[in-house]
PDB file of all heavy atoms in Angstrom:
ATOM      1  N   THR A  18      35.803  -0.617  31.856  1.00 83.00           N
ATOM      2  CA  THR A  18      36.142   0.711  32.375  1.00 83.00           C
ATOM      3  C   THR A  18      35.717   0.780  33.830  1.00 83.00           C
ATOM      4  O   THR A  18      34.617   0.379  34.181  1.00 83.00           O
ATOM      5  CB  THR A  18      35.397   1.789  31.586  1.00 83.00           C
ATOM      6  OG1 THR A  18      35.741   1.671  30.209  1.00 83.00           O
ATOM      7  CG2 THR A  18      35.765   3.168  32.068  1.00 83.00           C
ATOM      8  N   ARG A  37      39.941  25.873  34.827  1.00 98.00           N
ATOM      9  CA  ARG A  37      39.804  26.638  36.064  1.00 98.00           C
ATOM     10  C   ARG A  37      41.110  27.320  36.441  1.00 98.00           C
ATOM     11  O   ARG A  37      41.136  28.508  36.776  1.00 98.00           O
ATOM     12  CB  ARG A  37      39.345  25.722  37.208  1.00 98.00           C
ATOM     13  CG  ARG A  37      37.871  25.378  37.185  1.00 98.00           C
ATOM     14  CD  ARG A  37      37.443  24.666  38.458  1.00 98.00           C
ATOM     15  NE  ARG A  37      38.021  23.331  38.595  1.00 98.00           N
ATOM     16  CZ  ARG A  37      37.481  22.218  38.112  1.00 98.00           C
ATOM     17  NH1 ARG A  37      36.349  22.268  37.443  1.00 98.00           N
ATOM     18  NH2 ARG A  37      38.065  21.055  38.287  1.00 98.00           N
ATOM     19  N   ASP A  45      43.077  36.944  37.582  1.00 97.00           N
ATOM     20  CA  ASP A  45      43.902  37.664  38.557  1.00 97.00           C
ATOM     21  C   ASP A  45      44.633  38.818  37.901  1.00 97.00           C
ATOM     22  O   ASP A  45      44.693  39.923  38.437  1.00 97.00           O
ATOM     23  CB  ASP A  45      44.933  36.709  39.192  1.00 97.00           C
ATOM     24  CG  ASP A  45      44.293  35.730  40.163  1.00 97.00           C
ATOM     25  OD1 ASP A  45      43.097  35.887  40.457  1.00 97.00           O
ATOM     26  OD2 ASP A  45      44.988  34.813  40.618  1.00 97.00           O
ATOM     27  N   LEU A  78      32.951  31.642  19.065  1.00 96.00           N
ATOM     28  CA  LEU A  78      33.339  31.226  20.414  1.00 96.00           C
ATOM     29  C   LEU A  78      32.564  30.020  20.920  1.00 96.00           C
ATOM     30  O   LEU A  78      32.785  29.571  22.025  1.00 96.00           O
ATOM     31  CB  LEU A  78      33.163  32.393  21.395  1.00 96.00           C
ATOM     32  CG  LEU A  78      34.037  33.624  21.137  1.00 96.00           C
ATOM     33  CD1 LEU A  78      33.777  34.680  22.190  1.00 96.00           C
ATOM     34  CD2 LEU A  78      35.514  33.244  21.142  1.00 96.00           C
ATOM     35  N   GLU A 129      49.603  39.906  28.626  1.00 97.00           N
ATOM     36  CA  GLU A 129      50.895  39.294  28.260  1.00 97.00           C
ATOM     37  C   GLU A 129      51.505  38.545  29.429  1.00 97.00           C
ATOM     38  O   GLU A 129      52.068  37.462  29.259  1.00 97.00           O
ATOM     39  CB  GLU A 129      51.873  40.381  27.770  1.00 97.00           C
ATOM     40  CG  GLU A 129      51.542  40.916  26.387  1.00 97.00           C
ATOM     41  CD  GLU A 129      52.438  42.087  25.985  1.00 97.00           C
ATOM     42  OE1 GLU A 129      52.921  42.817  26.886  1.00 97.00           O
ATOM     43  OE2 GLU A 129      52.640  42.273  24.771  1.00 97.00           O
ATOM     44  N   ARG A 159      28.210  21.267  16.813  1.00 61.00           N
ATOM     45  CA  ARG A 159      27.323  20.707  17.819  1.00 61.00           C
ATOM     46  C   ARG A 159      26.301  21.764  18.139  1.00 61.00           C
ATOM     47  O   ARG A 159      26.556  22.652  18.903  1.00 61.00           O
ATOM     48  CB  ARG A 159      28.096  20.387  19.091  1.00 61.00           C
ATOM     49  CG  ARG A 159      29.143  19.356  18.911  1.00 61.00           C
ATOM     50  CD  ARG A 159      29.773  19.034  20.237  1.00 61.00           C
ATOM     51  NE  ARG A 159      28.787  18.792  21.251  1.00 61.00           N
ATOM     52  CZ  ARG A 159      28.075  17.692  21.337  1.00 61.00           C
ATOM     53  NH1 ARG A 159      28.254  16.717  20.486  1.00 61.00           N
ATOM     54  NH2 ARG A 159      27.158  17.539  22.270  1.00 61.00           N
TER      55      ARG A 159
ATOM     56  N   THR B  13      51.816  43.916  20.921  1.00 82.00           N
ATOM     57  CA  THR B  13      50.663  43.023  20.918  1.00 82.00           C
ATOM     58  C   THR B  13      49.434  43.822  20.511  1.00 82.00           C
ATOM     59  O   THR B  13      49.203  44.903  21.006  1.00 82.00           O
ATOM     60  CB  THR B  13      50.446  42.445  22.322  1.00 82.00           C
ATOM     61  OG1 THR B  13      51.627  41.751  22.733  1.00 82.00           O
ATOM     62  CG2 THR B  13      49.283  41.475  22.313  1.00 82.00           C
ATOM     63  N   ARG B  32      33.992  24.475  26.589  1.00 98.00           N
ATOM     64  CA  ARG B  32      32.544  24.543  26.357  1.00 98.00           C
ATOM     65  C   ARG B  32      32.099  23.417  25.428  1.00 98.00           C
ATOM     66  O   ARG B  32      31.112  22.718  25.697  1.00 98.00           O
ATOM     67  CB  ARG B  32      32.160  25.900  25.752  1.00 98.00           C
ATOM     68  CG  ARG B  32      32.102  27.020  26.756  1.00 98.00           C
ATOM     69  CD  ARG B  32      31.496  28.284  26.148  1.00 98.00           C
ATOM     70  NE  ARG B  32      32.313  28.893  25.118  1.00 98.00           N
ATOM     71  CZ  ARG B  32      33.257  29.799  25.330  1.00 98.00           C
ATOM     72  NH1 ARG B  32      33.524  30.193  26.556  1.00 98.00           N
ATOM     73  NH2 ARG B  32      33.944  30.316  24.332  1.00 98.00           N
ATOM     74  N   ASP B  40      25.707  16.072  27.111  1.00 97.00           N
ATOM     75  CA  ASP B  40      24.683  15.458  26.257  1.00 97.00           C
ATOM     76  C   ASP B  40      24.611  13.949  26.503  1.00 97.00           C
ATOM     77  O   ASP B  40      23.527  13.376  26.609  1.00 97.00           O
ATOM     78  CB  ASP B  40      24.981  15.708  24.770  1.00 97.00           C
ATOM     79  CG  ASP B  40      24.739  17.154  24.375  1.00 97.00           C
ATOM     80  OD1 ASP B  40      24.204  17.915  25.201  1.00 97.00           O
ATOM     81  OD2 ASP B  40      25.092  17.529  23.246  1.00 97.00           O
ATOM     82  N   LEU B  73      41.054  18.711  42.335  1.00 97.00           N
ATOM     83  CA  LEU B  73      40.367  19.285  41.170  1.00 97.00           C
ATOM     84  C   LEU B  73      40.570  20.786  41.030  1.00 97.00           C
ATOM     85  O   LEU B  73      40.054  21.392  40.104  1.00 97.00           O
ATOM     86  CB  LEU B  73      38.865  18.979  41.249  1.00 97.00           C
ATOM     87  CG  LEU B  73      38.488  17.496  41.205  1.00 97.00           C
ATOM     88  CD1 LEU B  73      36.972  17.341  41.275  1.00 97.00           C
ATOM     89  CD2 LEU B  73      39.021  16.842  39.929  1.00 97.00           C
ATOM     90  N   GLU B 124      31.996   6.513  27.945  1.00 97.00           N
ATOM     91  CA  GLU B 124      32.911   5.979  26.920  1.00 97.00           C
ATOM     92  C   GLU B 124      32.595   6.578  25.553  1.00 97.00           C
ATOM     93  O   GLU B 124      33.499   6.908  24.779  1.00 97.00           O
ATOM     94  CB  GLU B 124      32.807   4.456  26.844  1.00 97.00           C
ATOM     95  CG  GLU B 124      33.455   3.754  28.030  1.00 97.00           C
ATOM     96  CD  GLU B 124      33.224   2.242  28.011  1.00 97.00           C
ATOM     97  OE1 GLU B 124      32.192   1.796  27.473  1.00 97.00           O
ATOM     98  OE2 GLU B 124      34.086   1.513  28.557  1.00 97.00           O
ATOM     99  N   ARG B 154      48.243  27.900  42.974  1.00 61.00           N
ATOM    100  CA  ARG B 154      47.641  29.228  42.904  1.00 61.00           C
ATOM    101  C   ARG B 154      46.569  29.252  43.970  1.00 61.00           C
ATOM    102  O   ARG B 154      45.812  28.356  44.094  1.00 61.00           O
ATOM    103  CB  ARG B 154      46.989  29.429  41.543  1.00 61.00           C
ATOM    104  CG  ARG B 154      47.967  29.351  40.428  1.00 61.00           C
ATOM    105  CD  ARG B 154      47.286  29.720  39.140  1.00 61.00           C
ATOM    106  NE  ARG B 154      46.470  30.911  39.275  1.00 61.00           N
ATOM    107  CZ  ARG B 154      46.939  32.142  39.350  1.00 61.00           C
ATOM    108  NH1 ARG B 154      48.222  32.364  39.249  1.00 61.00           N
ATOM    109  NH2 ARG B 154      46.132  33.159  39.502  1.00 61.00           N
TER     110      ARG B 154
END
Side-chain angles (χ1 to χ4, degrees):
Chain A
T18 302
R37 282 189 292 272
D45 287 352
L78 297 181
E129 287 174 332
R159 297 184 48 75
Chain B
T13 302
R32 282 189 293 271
D40 288 352
L73 297 181
E124 287 174 331
R154 298 187 46 75

